[in-house]
Amino acid sequence: DAKTTQPPSMDCAEGRAANLPCNHSTISGNEYVYWYRQIHSQGPQYIIHGLKNNETNEMASLIITEDRKSSTLILPHATLRDTAVYYCIVKISNFGNEKLTFGTGTRLTIIP
Amino acid sequence: DTEVTQTPKHLVMGMTNKKSLKCEQHMGHRAMYWYKQKAKKPPELMFVYSYEKLSINESVPSRFSPECPNSSLLNLHLHALQPEDSALYLCASRGVLRGTEAFFGQGTRLTVV
């Protein structure tokens, strides 16, 4: 699976959009980009994923560059409850013999 | 129901004890995972079960013994653990379709004394 690079930490003001970057320059054509977050001492929570196209759901938007070498997770109106560690993961969705491997993630702090 | 339930939530065990962690899901997912997470570190994959068969073992010591008795249940049997095995143990499950996400439980906080 492709390796990802994320900034170790970011701050964002409450109510503003939080934009979390992820670099995955070695991504293969059949690898998906997944985003999870982990609030202190809880299990990771799925946020969103995509292959080529931009995606949006009730939690966030995922913008993938045309060359797929990087992506950005956007939380449109950050709240204090969005303070968490955010993980960007790329993996082949090959059921059964896949490793969902976490990198070091970005610690996002929402500032009141 | 998109829930993965782990029990117990907290466990304290001695180094000579035998205990088990339990993970249950009723989403029809046929892949289930065990992860170990130390403080301030990302989760580390331990085992993957696919259709109730062990498909990946990340060179985990034999004092950790996984078991998948049916498609809804995943156990992790613990024996002769060391204090450094104290961690948050996470279970996850995933469906068979391409591009589907994994769901995680809230974890079992294990302390070995």
Side-chain angles (χ1 to χ4, degrees):
Chain A
D1 292 339
K3 182 178 177 180
T4 61
T5 303
Q6 298 177 253
S9 64
M10 293 180 64
D11 293 339
C12 178
E14 188 178 16
R16 304 295 295 268
N19 295 273
L20 292 91
C22 179
N23 184 290
H24 34 79
S25 58
T26 59
I27 192 169
S28 301
N30 57 354
E31 288 185 307
Y32 287 73
V33 179
Y34 287 77
W35 283 85
Y36 285 80
R37 72 181 182 184
Q38 190 173 25
I39 296 169
H40 181 63
S41 293
Q42 298 183 19
Q45 177 189 22
Y46 165 78
I47 302 172
I48 198 166
H49 74 283
L51 183 61
K52 296 179 182 178
N53 300 321
N54 298 337
E55 302 288 344
T56 296
N57 63 20
E58 63 278 4
M59 288 183 67
S61 294
L62 174 60
I63 308 298
I64 303 174
T65 58
E66 192 168 342
D67 63 7
R68 303 209 324 122
K69 294 184 185 300
S70 66
S71 61
T72 301
L73 177 74
I74 301 172
L75 307 178
H77 305 287
T79 71
L80 297 178
R81 288 180 298 178
D82 293 321
T83 292
V85 178
Y86 287 76
Y87 296 102
C88 167
I89 302 166
V90 294
K91 69 178 185 69
I92 296 171
S93 192
N94 178 23
F95 177 80
N97 284 301
E98 61 177 33
K99 300 181 182 182
L100 187 61
T101 303
F102 289 79
T104 52
T106 295
R107 184 171 297 277
L108 176 67
T109 302
I110 306 302
I111 310 296
Chain B
D1 180 10
T2 57
E3 194 168 331
V4 176
T5 303
Q6 290 188 244
T7 55
K9 288 186 169 40
H10 301 273
L11 178 63
V12 178
M13 63 183 290
M15 289 187 285
T16 58
N17 290 161
K18 287 184 179 180
K19 296 286 185 183
S20 296
L21 309 185
K22 179 181 172 181
C23 173
E24 199 163 6
Q25 57 87 14
H26 297 287
M27 295 177 278
H29 290 173
R30 303 306 293 275
M32 296 185 76
Y33 308 77
W34 280 115
Y35 286 82
K36 174 182 177 179
Q37 186 174 27
K38 302 284 279 184
K40 300 189 184 303
K41 297 290 186 183
E44 295 179 9
L45 182 65
M46 300 174 73
F47 303 104
V48 180
Y49 270 83
S50 171
Y51 289 98
E52 295 85 67
K53 293 193 187 319
L54 184 64
S55 61
I56 295 176
N57 176 341
E58 291 287 86
S59 302
V60 178
S62 60
R63 57 186 184 269
F64 296 91
S65 176
E67 178 196 21
C68 190
N70 60 58
S71 59
S72 300
L73 189 56
L74 185 67
N75 298 319
L76 186 63
H77 303 298
L78 314 172
H79 174 54
L81 294 193
Q82 303 297 310
E84 57 265 30
D85 295 321
S86 298
L88 180 68
Y89 287 85
L90 294 160
C91 173
S93 71
R94 180 173 169 265
V96 301
L97 298 177
R98 262 181 79 79
T100 56
E101 67 272 24
F103 292 89
F104 283 80
Q106 292 305 297
T108 293
R109 176 74 59 189
L110 174 68
T111 303
V112 182
V113 298

